[in-house]
Structures are given as structure tokens and as C-alpha cells.
Amino acid sequence: MSDFHMVVCVKAVPGSTEVKMDPKTNTIVRDGKQAVINPFDTSALECALALKDDFIGFGMDVRVTVVSMGIPATESLLRDCIARGADDALLLTDRAFAGADTLATTYALKCGIEALDEDFDLLICGKMAVDGDTAQIGPELAGAFEIPCVTDVSCVQSAGFTTCGSLALVHGCDAGEETVYLEMPCAMTTAKEIGQLRMPSIAGIRAAEEADVRVVNAADVNADPARCGLAGSPTQVVRSFVPDRDQTCETVDGTASEQAAKLAKIIEGWHR
């Protein structure tokens, strides 16, 4: 058992703007081609790795576990996380998880995290996924585990951990920024500003090739099928489409006052 255990949730997202949708389920077709780690999640991983460096400097035994729910091809992305400094990884993959909304995804991730070999001290998620923009998974996981959560964290001040068992977190708020203190265990979601993910080392790449990425299905983590995937999703996409773009233009001639009058009539017509 490590002195300090961090769990980082990552998601595979399309690496291209040419996204295909399933016409029957209105969900993204995830075939693994050109998939990348969600950019906000790469910042979350870098946050964990930076904390790991700090805590190791304090003489602590630190472990970073990366957890993801996705198709089998996501395993290669998890190995890349290990190459960059994570210690181990867990992949939840099962057709039962397909089409999940944020609630069903949270449930699956919670089941996976509970199936790990040890409890966590800190749970880190990216602020949001670029293919959904809901920003709900981090707070929902915190609620599921009944632990405090701070969102949109741009800076972590780790020194407080050694004295009072808490983290000082700087995060965005309506007033701009504020610093809050959380006691362990806790959760946080990260902004991109918190850090750019480091490059993998040669030793890390070798370790990733030999690493045993734990791959589990719904039954392995005792997940209730009724709470997974589309079956467990109270919200579903009814229709998805590319917005129509009208690039026609109209020239407004005349003096400044005449142009203003004509423009006012044009705008008035838009609102009728």
C-alpha cells in the first residue's frame, strides 16, 4: 500500500473534427482511429505527476493510477500514460457501457475505482471532455464517493499536505480566482493552465510496454447492467446535426446615417 494514492480519470476522444455519429443511437462512433486523450485529462495527469514528484521529495511512497472507460483500443492510450509517469492503469470496456451519459459513466467509473487494490487520497479529472463539454463527471464522482470537490483548478499548492493533511487549490470562480483548502480524500477537476503533460522517457516507454494494464468488464466490477450504458442513462441525445451556415452577405450603401437606418431595418427583420 502506498502512502499516497492518486486516481486520474481519462477519456479517449476523437482526434479529428470529422466525427461519425451512429444514426440509431445518436452517439459518437468510437472505433479508436485517431483517438487521443482528452486534452483536459492530459493536464489532470500532469497535475498528478507533478504532485508525485513533490511528495516523493518528501520521502513518501506515491502511486498514480489512471482509469478509463472505453473501447479496447483505449488500452494503448493508457500505456502512453504509464510511459509518461503513471504507475498503473485500469480500463473498463464492455458493450454494456456503450452510449452512457454522464450519470451512467460516473457509475461505471465508480465501480472500477472501487475495484482497485487500495483506496485513493486524491481523485483528479479534467475539467470537461472536448467531445461533450458537460463538465459533470468530476463533480458527479465526488458526489458518488461523498467527498469534497473543487472544479477548474489552475494551481495546486502541495506544501500543506505535510502539515495538516490538506491541499491548497487555486481555482476559477465568479470573482476571478480563489484559494480553497480540502482535506483528504477529495476530488478536483483541472483547467488546462495547470500544466502541459510531460513527454515520455525511454525508461517510461519500456515500462509501458511491459506494464500489465488491467482490463475489466461490467461483471468484473460488479456493475449493475441496468445502471450502465444507454439502459442506465436518463438523458439521451435525440438528434445530432451539423448547423447550417449561410455565408451570403448584403452591402449597405449610403451615408453613415443612411447605413445605420438600413442596418436597423435589417436587424429588425431578423427578430420578426
Side-chain angles (χ1 to χ4, degrees):
M1 303 292 284
S2 56
D3 296 328
F4 193 77
H5 184 207
M6 288 178 281
V7 172
V8 181
C9 294
V10 303
K11 181 181 183 182
V13 296
S16 168
T17 56
E18 298 179 1
V19 178
K20 296 181 180 180
M21 304 295 294
D22 187 318
K24 294 183 179 179
T25 62
N26 285 303
T27 58
I28 296 176
V29 176
R30 303 184 186 275
D31 55 8
K33 297 179 181 178
Q34 297 183 328
V36 297
I37 299 174
N38 177 50
F40 286 96
D41 297 342
T42 63
S43 297
L45 178 57
E46 177 56 34
C47 174
L49 297 178
L51 283 172
K52 178 182 177 181
D53 292 341
D54 288 345
F55 292 161
I56 288 177
F58 296 145
M60 299 173 61
D61 180 18
V62 186
R63 185 164 140 230
V64 175
T65 300
V66 180
V67 177
S68 183
M69 184 189 81
I71 62 174
T74 306
E75 181 179 341
S76 63
L77 297 180
L78 295 183
R79 291 189 182 278
D80 181 66
C81 292
I82 294 174
R84 296 172 191 266
D87 296 286
D88 48 34
L90 174 74
L91 173 61
L92 294 145
T93 184
D94 195 316
R95 288 298 303 171
F97 297 138
D101 70 355
T102 58
L103 186 65
T105 299
T106 295
Y107 173 71
L109 290 172
K110 180 175 184 289
C111 291
I113 293 170
E114 289 178 333
L116 297 174
D117 296 334
E118 64 179 286
D119 296 333
F120 64 84
D121 298 286
L122 179 60
L123 174 64
I124 310 178
C125 301
K127 182 173 70 172
M128 64 185 186
V130 295
D131 64 348
D133 292 359
T134 64
Q136 294 173 351
I137 295 297
E140 284 185 0
L141 274 172
F145 283 110
E146 299 182 349
I147 56 176
C149 178
V150 174
T151 60
D152 196 22
V153 175
S154 59
C155 178
V156 178
Q157 300 169 356
S158 60
F161 176 79
T162 60
T163 57
C164 60
S166 66
L167 288 177
L169 307 174
V170 180
H171 79 119
C173 63
D174 292 340
E177 285 187 344
E178 66 178 356
T179 301
V180 297
Y181 295 86
L182 289 188
E183 294 185 358
M184 309 296 176
C186 62
M188 58 181 281
T189 70
T190 58
K192 287 184 180 179
E193 294 79 11
I194 205 165
Q196 183 175 355
L197 183 58
R198 63 194 63 185
M199 295 297 291
S201 64
I202 298 296
I205 293 173
R206 290 177 176 175
E209 292 176 349
E210 299 175 357
D212 183 17
V213 174
R214 186 177 172 188
V215 180
V216 296
N217 58 29
D220 293 331
V221 296
N222 298 316
D224 180 358
R227 298 181 62 182
C228 298
L230 286 173
S233 300
T235 61
Q236 296 182 11
V237 177
V238 176
R239 185 169 69 98
S240 60
F241 59 94
V242 177
D244 293 330
R245 298 184 182 276
D246 184 0
Q247 298 185 12
T248 59
C249 63
E250 181 176 346
T251 302
V252 179
D253 299 317
T255 64
S257 59
E258 291 173 342
Q259 289 177 328
K262 292 178 181 179
L263 185 59
K265 288 184 179 180
I266 293 173
I267 295 175
E268 182 180 356
W270 290 347
H271 295 281
R272 287 179 179 176

